[in-house]
Amino acid sequence: MATQVKNPFTWVEIYVDDMSRAQKFYETLLQIKLNQLPVPEGLSEMQMLSFPWAENEMGISGALVKMENMSPGAGGTLVYFACEDCLVEEARAEAAGGKVLQAKMSIGEYGFCSILLDTEGNSIGLHSMN
């Protein structure tokens, strides 16, 4: 019996030190509005802001999370955000307080990507087919 293949990711958390600074960066970079999420019981010091998502649509969502014992930083997991043309978001990075680590580059038949540094020290990616 063959196993059905599924996309393995379901949720992403980007850890931050300064929630308002990170919120401003991602809302400016991606031109979106982040939404407050309820804090799980027993984690009163935790803060979560959700990226937008649509039920039953392709892709996944996630949140910015400020939480004790979870720190941001480069060199860990790299999250890629889907874009029409990653050059557009890349152009907003520095004005939003981030930095371009790798300018838009071709990845062949898989499109293009850029690598940025957010305001919290996390490396993030942008991906587009254009």
Side-chain angles (χ1 to χ4, degrees):
M1 175 181 216
T3 304
Q4 182 181 3
V5 176
K6 295 181 185 179
N7 291 330
F9 294 100
T10 186
W11 184 253
V12 173
E13 291 182 350
I14 299 174
Y15 295 106
V16 306
D17 287 326
D18 184 321
M19 184 60 83
S20 58
R21 179 178 64 197
Q23 178 179 7
K24 183 178 178 184
F25 174 80
Y26 284 98
E27 286 181 344
T28 301
L29 180 76
L30 301 172
Q31 301 289 286
I32 59 170
K33 173 84 174 104
L34 296 170
N35 301 301
Q36 188 72 40
L37 285 177
V39 175
E41 191 174 323
L43 296 174
S44 62
E45 299 299 315
M46 182 181 200
Q47 294 177 307
M48 296 178 76
L49 291 174
S50 173
F51 288 91
W53 69 288
E55 190 73 38
N56 300 319
E57 293 292 325
M58 291 188 59
I60 65 171
S61 191
L64 298 179
V65 179
K66 182 175 180 178
M67 183 176 168
E68 188 176 316
N69 298 321
M70 299 301 284
S71 299
T77 301
L78 186 60
V79 176
Y80 282 84
F81 292 92
C83 310
E84 289 294 318
D85 180 345
C86 56
L87 197 56
V88 173
E89 286 77 5
E90 180 184 309
R92 295 186 196 124
E94 290 189 16
K99 181 178 178 183
V100 176
L101 298 177
Q102 170 62 58
K104 181 179 176 181
M105 64 180 180
S106 173
I107 51 174
E109 68 182 282
Y110 301 107
F112 299 87
C113 70
S114 301
I115 309 295
L116 310 177
L117 191 67
D118 75 5
T119 55
E120 306 304 295
N122 295 303
S123 295
I124 61 169
L126 302 171
H127 175 262
S128 65
M129 291 308 293
N130 299 317

